[in-house]
Amino acid sequence: MERIITRPLAGPQPAEHWRELRLLLRLWRQRSRTRRQLAALDEHLLADAGISSSERIEELNKPFWR
């Protein structure tokens, strides 16, 4: 016989889900913004930051969720 659970399972409340979603969207927006800034740097500034051209291209090719 199957057991039926009549009470809700313990877990995050809906408000927590919205909070997590807001944090995730904020993170994605920050990544997008910093990658645009990285794309705008010239070779001299990249060298000062210790970033090679290939590292910059690799970072710029990532999707915003990674």
Side-chain angles (χ1 to χ4, degrees):
M1 180 194 264
E2 231 176 280
R3 182 177 173 171
I4 299 173
I5 299 174
T6 58
R7 61 182 170 79
L9 297 175
Q13 298 300 315
E16 290 180 46
H17 289 299
W18 287 113
R19 180 178 177 274
E20 289 175 13
L21 179 60
R22 283 194 312 269
L23 292 173
L24 183 61
L25 292 173
R26 186 178 300 154
L27 175 63
W28 287 351
R29 193 174 19 187
Q30 179 184 6
R31 286 178 181 165
S32 179
R33 182 175 47 248
T34 56
R35 288 179 181 152
R36 277 194 309 271
Q37 292 170 345
L38 179 62
L41 296 178
D42 64 17
E43 293 298 322
H44 178 73
L45 291 174
L46 284 174
D48 284 349
I51 302 170
S52 70
S53 295
S54 61
E55 289 172 324
R56 175 171 75 169
I57 291 169
E58 184 179 331
E59 185 66 28
L60 295 177
N61 286 330
K62 289 182 184 177
F64 64 89
W65 60 86
R66 286 190 24 215

